[in-house]
Amino acid sequence: MCVTCGCGMPDTHTHEHGHGHTHERGHDHAHTHDHAHAHDHGQAGRRLSLEQDILGENNRYAAANRAYWGALGVFALNLVSSPGSGKTSVLARTIEALRGELPIAVIEGDQQTANDAERIRAAGAPAVQINTGKGCHLDAHMVGHAAHDLPLADGGLLLIENVGNLVCPAAFDLGEAHKVVVLSVTEGEDKPVKYPDMFAAADVLLLNKIDLLPHVDFDVARALAYARQVNPGIRVFELSARSGEGLAAWLDWLRAGCRQARHAPPQPAHAS
């Protein structure tokens, strides 16, 4: 995770809203760490303590996010994957399919640029772009701050597109109802066993780009077996954001989640 990998050194991240201004704050609550490789047991103990402090603080923010979204009746999802899996394309296709039926808002996470937020707005949903700078994941504090700049409606859908990374985002709860991991058929089918923490943390797997199966060497059965080896209960949707194949089942699951969120009892605003 970030505390030991050296990414996300103290930096500033920005929230870009598409309406002429940005919000900045120092990113010093979760990424002040050194990239040391000494084999000193005291150093390892200090690192473990820092990891626990960081995750504990993050979990408190996540609990507050969960309570806030629960009070609003919002179904929040955290989409995670490696770069290039097609997360943004899935989101854009989802927004186009549900536009006018469900209120949808999006938080986009990338190290730099507002390209993805612009694509989401073009698809028809309001979006806030978070640029993490050197950081390799979103955390609950920055996501909660960004969510307050979005129009969140009762029974609505909040889609959070995390930074492309199959390692660090697995450890950080954002307050979402579910982590949704996206795996494309242009990647290796052994990704679930190479990056088990992410697939274990996810409740849903979207196998994307299935329209390319005739053109790539990808064994679907093997990939899903690996995913269920890591997480026997993971729910799978096979789809193509480009062609729309398999999209209906995913959309039905989203509709059901929004209905459930609308009628769910309020959540306590403290970490478990």
Side-chain angles (χ1 to χ4, degrees), residues 60-119:
R60 287 188 289 274
Y61 282 118
N65 291 346
R66 188 169 285 112
Y68 172 60
W69 297 332
L72 292 175
V74 168
F75 187 45
L77 299 177
N78 178 9
L79 277 80
V80 292
S81 78
S82 56
S85 68
K87 291 193 304 299
T88 309
S89 295
V90 169
L91 293 187
R93 189 68 185 247
T94 299
I95 291 162
E96 291 165 356
L98 295 175
R99 188 167 47 200
E101 178 183 345
L102 290 175
I104 303 175
V106 178
I107 295 173
E108 282 289 343
D110 284 298
Q111 288 188 316
Q112 300 293 342
T113 84
N115 294 348
D116 287 350
E118 290 168 3
R119 286 182 62 188

Side-chain angles (χ1 to χ4, degrees), residues 18-51:
H19 48 69
H21 67 277
T22 62
H23 295 292
E24 299 188 0
R25 68 174 176 84
H27 194 189
D28 59 1
H29 67 282
H31 294 309
T32 51
H33 58 273
D34 296 323
H35 193 189
H37 292 287
H39 297 282
D40 177 79
H41 292 294
Q43 177 80 5
R46 288 192 294 273
R47 182 177 292 120
L48 177 60
S49 177
L50 180 57
E51 289 178 5

